[in-house]
Amino acid sequence: MTVLSGAISDKYELVVGLEVHAQLSTLSKVFSSDSAAFGAQPNHHISPISLGHPGTLPRINKKAVEYAVKMGLACNSTINLNNTFARKNYFYADLPKGYQITQDVKPICLHGSIKVKLTDGKMKDIAIHHIHMEEDAGKSLHDNHSENSLIDLNRAGVPLIEIVTEPDMRSSEEAGQFLTETRKLLRYLDICDGNMEEGSMRCDANISVRLKGATEYGNRCEVKNLNSIRNVQRAIEHEFTRQIGIIESGGRIHQNTLNFNADTGETSVLRSKEMANDYRYFPEPDLTPLFLDEAYLNNIRQAMPALPNELYKKYVNKLSLSEYDATVITAERELAMYFEGLIKHTTNYKSAVHLLMGPIKSHLNESGLSIIDIKVTPENLAGLIHLVDSGKINNSVATHKLFPALLASPEKSAIQLATELNLLISDDGGDVSGYIRDAIAKYPDKVIEYRKGKKGVLGLFMGEIMKSSKGKIDPQKTNQLLIKELEAK
Ligand code: ADP
Ligand code: MG
């Protein structure tokens, strides 16, 4: 790989536009009733329609349209009420019809943007050119047989949306953040699982460079087959250096389609512009135009879930969470939904965050579970917060004893379990005095040290009292009583 001096690469600006394919999680395919589920035996989710038999007719899946509209609304796109479909013609073994049904001149969503946050704290809007609907092709399996390639048509006809951005990104970080935010939106909307490794979200990156200050874009290359956000970023970084190297040595960038090799981190030519397909798009004669109306859009608008940006704003502005906490909570839809449940039952938002990021996160990490597997209801967890806040249980006992008990018996309430396990702080001041007296009696030399001014030994007494009382004391009150006792001559 060419290594460029900083001075040379500093003269250039990177320009990136992304094309993101998202597989919509509908039950059936986009133009037939075949199951769209992932992971079935090869060629078990097929029918004469997805096999492209003559005489069969496609029929549009309502859910797929609804999902595409949802994504458009989430990106503030203009929804096109008058949609048409087109045939994109090419020959490949995994495309039995010989064409892919897609949208060409009238895509379902136009314009719009997705906001990304960069490490320097700045926000940037990445403009969307359009979002269109199309069907996926089947899959060619090249590694399963020694001599032949095998074809699995389960995926043929699974609904896709393609999100095409403007060439707005100027760094691999921006591209990475764009994909992260796009995936978050797809997941919050519950229209795609966003799993890049399994191919349910795929990305092609268009990359070019130009001298800083130039007004025209340079020639671009399009990198295909990027199966993780990290690899998109690696490909962009590699291309930036490669393209500058060519230009600096007097060459030109040819508008090629490139492959990315994840092992070497390098790109190679898949096909050149001269060999580019002519897809001969023409209107799909088997599908009538799809007319939507405002009432339809309003219904979808009203059923839109809260989106990560709105929740983020609410958490920072209304609940006074730190930006960091708000970012972590909204990063994953399920986590945000759990937190939303929690704050229906408690107004101690800080404790709610601490519980989620502390004991709950450790528990999930240790058990390999995800937040949706947590059986403790937000209501019961809020009960634990309430017990701590009202001084009925001490914080450490709540975390180390009551929380595991809630996990083990999620059907019981926090107060019920705390009572059963005898974890509640007794209101009886006499009890505490007993523990204090015992602790003082146990370490007479430390009492002398304390009286000579070594206040640090307080911790030792408190630790002893915590132990003997099994944490069933109010630490603040006890601390005060302990000091009084130690200072009494
Ligand atoms: P095509 O139809 O050949 O795929 P488009 O003009 O629709 O080409 O662009 C496809 C993608 O390429 C878009 O995401 C767009 O932002 C991006 N793109 C276009 N020109 C450039 C460029 N000079 N540098 C980087 N990306 C570009
Ligand atoms: Mg393209």
Side-chain angles (χ1 to χ4, degrees), residues 71-324:
M71 189 60 181
L73 292 176
C75 299
N76 286 317
S77 302
T78 305
I79 308 300
N80 183 6
L81 297 179
N82 181 358
N83 282 268
T84 57
F85 292 88
R87 287 187 182 180
K88 177 177 176 178
N89 299 281
Y90 64 95
F91 176 78
Y92 201 71
D94 63 16
L95 189 76
K97 295 199 296 292
Y99 59 85
Q100 177 191 26
I101 304 179
T102 180
Q103 292 191 293
D104 182 23
V105 286
K106 289 188 172 176
I108 189 148
C109 312
L110 284 170
H111 314 306
S113 65
I114 290 180
K115 231 181 234 325
V116 299
K117 189 174 183 184
L118 305 171
T119 38
D120 61 8
K122 289 203 184 96
M123 304 295 290
K124 176 169 175 175
D125 281 328
I126 307 296
I128 305 287
H129 181 273
H130 76 268
I131 303 174
H132 67 258
M133 290 189 284
E134 60 186 24
E135 59 179 337
D136 212 340
K139 225 186 216 165
S140 310
L141 310 167
H142 301 295
D143 304 326
N144 300 42
H145 193 277
S146 55
E147 288 155 37
N148 301 305
S149 284
L150 305 178
I151 303 291
D152 175 8
L153 293 172
N154 283 348
R155 202 178 69 177
V158 167
L160 295 177
I161 49 173
E162 180 174 339
I163 305 157
V164 181
T165 77
E166 294 291 353
D168 271 2
M169 285 152 276
R170 295 289 175 268
S171 65
S172 63
E173 185 205 355
E174 289 180 15
Q177 283 303 102
F178 175 81
L179 290 170
T180 304
E181 288 307 314
T182 303
R183 185 170 62 185
K184 230 194 262 180
L185 282 179
L186 293 166
R187 288 177 173 168
Y188 268 75
L189 293 167
D190 205 9
I191 60 174
C192 166
D193 68 27
N195 189 332
M196 284 188 83
E197 283 72 23
E198 281 176 9
S200 36
M201 182 171 131
R202 309 195 281 269
C203 175
D204 301 336
N206 297 271
I207 305 156
S208 65
V209 299
R210 62 176 172 184
L211 282 172
K212 280 185 182 158
T215 47
E216 302 271 306
Y217 288 130
N219 274 348
R220 71 184 143 112
C221 288
E222 179 172 357
V223 189
K224 298 269 186 196
N225 302 329
L226 297 163
N227 63 357
S228 71
I229 295 182
R230 185 66 208 119
N231 283 343
V232 173
Q233 295 184 303
R234 288 170 71 204
I236 290 173
E237 283 152 22
H238 175 76
E239 273 303 293
F240 183 61
T241 312
R242 188 187 72 86
Q243 294 184 17
I244 293 174
I246 291 174
I247 295 170
E248 282 289 314
S249 56
R252 282 188 64 240
I253 303 301
H254 297 284
Q255 203 170 318
N256 290 337
T257 301
L258 309 177
N259 211 353
F260 178 70
N261 182 333
D263 294 329
T264 62
E266 297 187 352
T267 54
S268 57
V269 178
L270 198 64
R271 47 181 186 267
S272 67
K273 181 75 180 166
E274 292 72 47
M275 288 159 60
N277 279 314
D278 173 4
Y279 293 118
R280 288 168 294 128
Y281 282 92
F282 67 85
E284 164 60 65
D286 289 340
L287 283 166
T288 55
L290 173 72
F291 295 114
L292 309 176
D293 60 23
E294 284 301 332
Y296 171 82
L297 296 189
N298 277 336
N299 279 337
I300 297 180
R301 242 180 231 123
Q302 270 154 23
M304 289 282 278
L307 295 176
N309 267 338
E310 295 163 33
L311 289 179
Y312 178 89
K313 272 192 219 147
K314 173 170 118 180
Y315 296 165
V316 172
N317 298 337
K318 292 212 179 121
L319 310 191
S320 303
L321 299 191
S322 70
E323 290 188 0
Y324 175 80

Side-chain angles (χ1 to χ4, degrees), residues 16 45 136 175 241 369 400 418:
V16 176
H45 290 168
D136 212 340
T241 312
L369 296 174
H400 299 294

